[in-house]
Amino acid sequence: MMLIARRNFVCKFTILGLLAGLAFFSAVQSAKAEYADVVINNYADAAGMRPAVFPHWFHRIRFRCKVCHADLGFKFKAGGNKITMAKIINGQFCGACHNGEIAWSVENCSMCHSGVPGLPTHFHGSTVQRLIAPTYKPLETKQ
Amino acid sequence: MIIIKQTRFLSLALLLAVPFMATQVQASADSLSGVTAVNVASSVSAANTFNRNLKKDKVRNAAPPEDGIHDPANDSTHVLQPPLEAFEGFPPSDFGNYVDWVKTLDDGIIQPRWDRKDPTEEPFVMDLDIVRPVKASVPDVVFPHRQHTMWLACSNCHPAIFIPQQQANQINMSAILLGQKCGVCHGKVSFPITTKSCKKCHSKPKPADWEPPLSEATLKNPWR
């Protein structure tokens, strides 16, 4: 009896520790997302939508960087383009392609808005984030 | 005896947790062993674990539902393509997406468009290498325009990131690691800065008789 009680205690303790560990790890490193995935969440959360997730690897198989970053005017800065749905349905940013002609159209909300709620805007796997002591913040790049 | 049973319980707890957080478990193995140490052998200090600061990719190219940034509760998350399915047959590399994008493009395995609509438009590729001698012992840097102009327009770099004139730009590793100069892209989308990738940029070996310059402090060292 004693033994069982004790084991239960240990078991609970372990699960608690495990959960705490999991919460810690998923919050801090959003661990295993593909390199160069961008979470964009300037406004989405506030409007009750999941954050948007943009996969670079998927798009670079189909388009060179130049298409988005020169022709379509995406600045090299996560969250820096202030993308909104108004701009998208006017054919800017994601809307230059996600218009039912070049790629599936904008009513597929949850294809883009697929992020874990509450995640901040960030660039996954960047060298800066992976440094042991990121004591300095990335500076604004001049555009 | 008790210890054995407890350990079994620990692994049971682990097994129970697996379906919930399939791939997270590995990442938390460190914290779990911390807990085990406290419970089972309280004499081992949990503060002095092996490799306190080593970060490793425990899982490569995770599928969206397991990658920690996509919400598995969102139905469409399960429709998104897993990277490994797309990367089938791509030449591998040891970092970033674990794909050698330059080779993938050179070999014609992918044909990303240069124009949003017109699949026949070709990039203006410029084959001009810029050598940047490096004071330190690492090989000199060769910046190849060819691989860059296959992906990028001149205006992506000139003049906002680099003045188009040899040695007109101050570049050093700390700026790059901060996300400036080469680091605007390298460490974000193009291959990252890691021990295994140094030689991609630092590719021109120093002459055989090259010695690193001695520092002032060494030259003036009275105890030498």
Side-chain angles (χ1 to χ4, degrees):
Chain A
M1 202 49 211
M2 261 300 283
L3 200 70
I4 290 170
R6 174 122 183 258
R7 271 206 242 130
N8 267 341
F9 174 72
V10 171
C11 182
K12 250 184 229 148
F13 191 79
T14 313
I15 287 175
L16 260 173
L18 191 62
L19 287 180
L22 289 175
F24 175 78
F25 274 99
S26 36
V28 174
Q29 9 172 276
S30 61
K32 305 150 262 48
E34 189 61 26
Y35 180 67
D37 274 5
V38 197
V39 173
I40 313 175
N41 191 5
N42 289 329
Y43 319 108
D45 251 4
M49 292 295 289
R50 291 184 172 91
V53 182
F54 174 80
H56 263 101
W57 65 270
F58 183 94
H59 287 86
R60 75 180 291 182
I61 290 173
R62 291 158 178 81
F63 301 95
R64 320 263 174 150
C65 327
K66 173 257 187 190
V67 173
C68 293
H69 290 292
D71 299 352
L72 297 177
F74 280 99
K75 289 186 207 153
F76 286 139
K77 180 96 188 77
N81 295 282
K82 306 206 160 72
I83 304 169
T84 61
M85 291 316 290
K87 292 177 188 167
I88 290 178
I89 60 175
N90 283 335
Q92 288 175 269
F93 298 119
C94 323
C97 300
H98 288 280
N99 53 12
E101 284 165 31
I102 294 175
W104 41 259
S105 128
V106 83
E107 62 269 24
N108 299 290
C109 316
S110 57
M111 289 290 282
C112 296
H113 291 280
S114 59
V116 174
L119 278 186
T121 300
H122 73 284
F123 216 87
H124 181 76
S126 75
T127 299
V128 177
Q129 282 173 16
R130 294 174 62 97
L131 295 177
I132 292 169
T135 43
Y136 34 74
K137 289 204 190 91
L139 304 174
E140 300 276 305
T141 48
K142 270 184 252 132
Q143 283 292 335
Chain B
M1 185 58 195
I2 291 176
I3 290 175
I4 290 168
K5 276 189 181 146
Q6 282 174 357
T7 331
R8 208 183 283 152
F9 245 100
L10 290 180
S11 21
L12 197 74
L14 227 179
L15 280 177
L16 283 173
V18 164
F20 297 113
M21 297 276 192
T23 51
Q24 304 245 359
V25 166
Q26 254 190 318
S28 69
D30 313 340
S31 73
L32 184 79
S33 53
V35 171
T36 320
V38 169
N39 284 341
V40 176
S42 48
S43 55
V44 177
S45 155
N48 300 312
T49 52
F50 188 79
N51 274 335
R52 239 172 23 96
N53 274 325
L54 178 67
K55 292 183 191 172
K56 268 193 182 172
D57 280 349
K58 304 271 160 75
V59 179
R60 290 183 174 191
N61 309 110
E66 283 109 46
D67 71 1
I69 62 170
H70 287 90
D71 188 352
N74 170 33
D75 288 342
S76 300
T77 296
H78 304 272
V79 180
L80 298 174
Q81 190 177 33
L84 279 180
E85 181 187 307
F87 297 165
E88 179 87 45
F90 287 14
S93 83
D94 286 332
F95 33 76
N97 299 113
Y98 302 105
V99 164
D100 185 335
W101 289 105
V102 170
K103 199 162 187 302
T104 310
L105 185 58
D106 278 343
D107 293 356
I109 297 168
I110 56 171
Q111 287 181 330
R113 289 186 188 182
W114 181 252
D115 182 77
R116 181 168 53 107
K117 288 185 175 156
D118 181 359
T120 62
E121 221 177 276
E122 292 287 328
F124 169 66
V125 177
M126 184 173 85
D127 198 354
L128 169 67
D129 285 355
I130 310 265
V131 178
R132 306 221 17 146
V134 180
K135 279 203 204 95
S137 57
V138 291
D140 290 344
V141 172
V142 180
F143 171 85
H145 270 91
R146 187 188 74 85
Q147 288 92 314
H148 288 91
T149 49
M150 283 174 69
W151 291 98
L152 294 149
C154 316
S155 66
N156 284 131
C157 290
H158 298 309
I161 308 176
F162 302 108
I163 302 162
Q165 191 191 322
Q166 247 186 79
Q167 313 306 331
N169 303 270
Q170 286 265 357
I171 313 177
N172 59 49
M173 266 336 273
S174 10
I176 296 174
L177 287 163
L178 277 166
Q180 296 173 312
K181 307 294 171 185
C182 317
V184 169
C185 302
H186 292 281
K188 300 287 181 53
V189 177
S190 15
F191 66 81
I193 322 291
T194 133
T195 321
K196 287 181 180 155
S197 72
C198 308
K199 285 188 179 159
K200 284 230 157 198
C201 294
H202 293 275
S203 60
K204 186 168 180 269
K206 294 262 199 300
D209 58 352
W210 193 91
E211 291 281 344
L214 291 174
S215 52
E216 276 290 284
T218 299
L219 293 171
K220 290 185 184 159
N221 186 350
W223 297 289
R224 200 151 68 107

